């Protein structure tokens, strides 16, 4: 599979000038895994995304806490997500 061409309006950087680095092609939706996520996995990913957006780096042991919170259901996860995203 070919990489996307480098978009350089001056033509000074092309595939030969990338020193081993290259752009990745866009994802292929047809190649996605078709298995649906469980509700707990969806909540876990939502928690990780919210923490990442806020710039909160995970610490050792945080995965256990995220898994525990995500297993408590939609209402608990929604409350925690609200707390994480609150600007107050």
């Amino acid at each position: 599979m070919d990489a996307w061409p480098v978009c350089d309006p001056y033509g000074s950087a092309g595939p030969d000038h990338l020193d081993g680095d290259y752009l990745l092609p866009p994802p292929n939706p047809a190649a996605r895994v078709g298995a649906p996520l469980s509700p707990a996995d969806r909540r876990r990913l939502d928690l990780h995304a919210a923490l990442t957006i806020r710039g909160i780096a995970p610490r050792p042991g945080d995965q256990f806490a995220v898994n525990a919170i995500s297993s408590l259901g939609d209402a608990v996860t929604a409350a925690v997500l609200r707390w994480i995203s609150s600007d107050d």
Side-chain angles (χ1 to χ4, degrees), residues 6-86:
V6 174
C7 297
D8 181 8
Y10 304 106
S12 60
D16 297 334
H17 299 89
L18 294 176
D19 296 326
D21 199 8
Y22 57 92
L23 300 174
L24 296 175
N28 179 1
R32 291 185 181 181
V33 176
L37 290 175
S38 71
D41 286 338
R42 181 187 44 78
R43 291 188 294 266
R44 182 179 48 80
L45 291 173
D46 288 345
L47 286 166
H48 278 293
L51 291 168
T52 300
I53 288 168
R54 295 298 283 191
I56 301 169
R59 294 184 179 169
D62 286 353
Q63 185 62 40
F64 176 76
V66 169
N67 288 342
I69 292 168
S70 65
S71 70
L72 295 175
D74 286 333
V76 171
T77 303
V80 172
L81 289 170
R82 209 172 36 253
W83 298 338
I84 292 169
S85 62
S86 175

